[in-house]
Amino acid sequence: MAAPARKQHLATIDLLRARPFPARRSRSARVTSGPGYHLADLVTSEEFWEDDGTARLDALEECEAECGALSAVLAERWGEPQQMSLWSTLVRGGEGVPVPQPWLELSAAAACLELWRADGRWIALAVCQQGAELPFQLVAAVTVNDPP
């Protein structure tokens, strides 16, 4: 991904860090917000309904590369990220244990994420996919809800 797009992703993250959280879940453009959190779709690939696997692999590599490049910029601001597995969060949510958002939503689409704490808020980056034929997404989360 080009540097101008990366600058836009950073601007989106900074905007979400400053934006108040709504009392109720809402969605506008590429941002979903709710009590204590914002989730932004920074990059979305195409879908893979007719793919032989080639486009899917290319899209995953592109999303992971952009995640890595964006993570490097954020690491300059806040230090190296924590690596967080979401497997146990997904299992607990599936067992009916209450899991706060955005962690429950992220665990349904990503195996792990990179996590920073800055100015009283958690900032996370994850490469997500809701299903094998659905697009990959590079998602940024900003939340005051502590990770489970």
Side-chain angles (χ1 to χ4, degrees):
M1 179 110 345
R6 198 161 303 121
K7 286 182 181 181
Q8 180 61 45
H9 301 331
L10 291 169
T12 298
I13 291 168
D14 289 339
L15 175 70
L16 296 179
R17 289 179 58 228
R19 183 185 289 177
F21 300 110
R24 297 168 55 170
R25 184 177 170 92
S26 64
R27 175 133 176 112
S28 62
R30 298 178 70 140
V31 177
T32 301
S33 298
Y37 74 95
H38 302 294
L39 285 170
D41 300 335
L42 302 177
V43 174
T44 302
S45 75
E46 78 256 4
E47 295 180 348
F48 307 106
W49 295 102
E50 303 292 326
D51 182 43
D52 65 0
T54 307
R56 186 179 189 285
L57 183 58
D58 289 345
L60 175 59
E61 288 174 356
E62 284 181 30
C63 259
E64 287 177 340
E66 182 57 19
C67 184
L70 190 54
S71 177
V73 174
L74 295 177
E76 290 177 12
R77 290 181 175 184
W78 303 312
E80 289 301 312
Q82 298 175 40
Q83 303 295 316
M84 180 179 163
S85 170
L86 295 170
W87 176 250
S88 64
T89 303
L90 178 64
V91 170
R92 286 194 309 264
E95 293 173 343
V97 176
V99 176
Q101 292 293 5
W103 310 112
L104 183 61
E105 188 167 335
L106 287 168
S107 73
C112 60
L113 55 78
E114 296 188 346
L115 186 64
W116 295 265
R117 178 95 168 147
D119 303 320
R121 295 186 178 202
W122 294 99
I123 299 93
L125 289 178
V127 174
C128 298
Q129 188 182 34
Q130 298 287 330
E133 294 83 14
L134 298 177
F136 287 103
Q137 296 172 295
L138 173 56
V139 175
V142 175
T143 183
V144 294
N145 300 330
D146 288 333

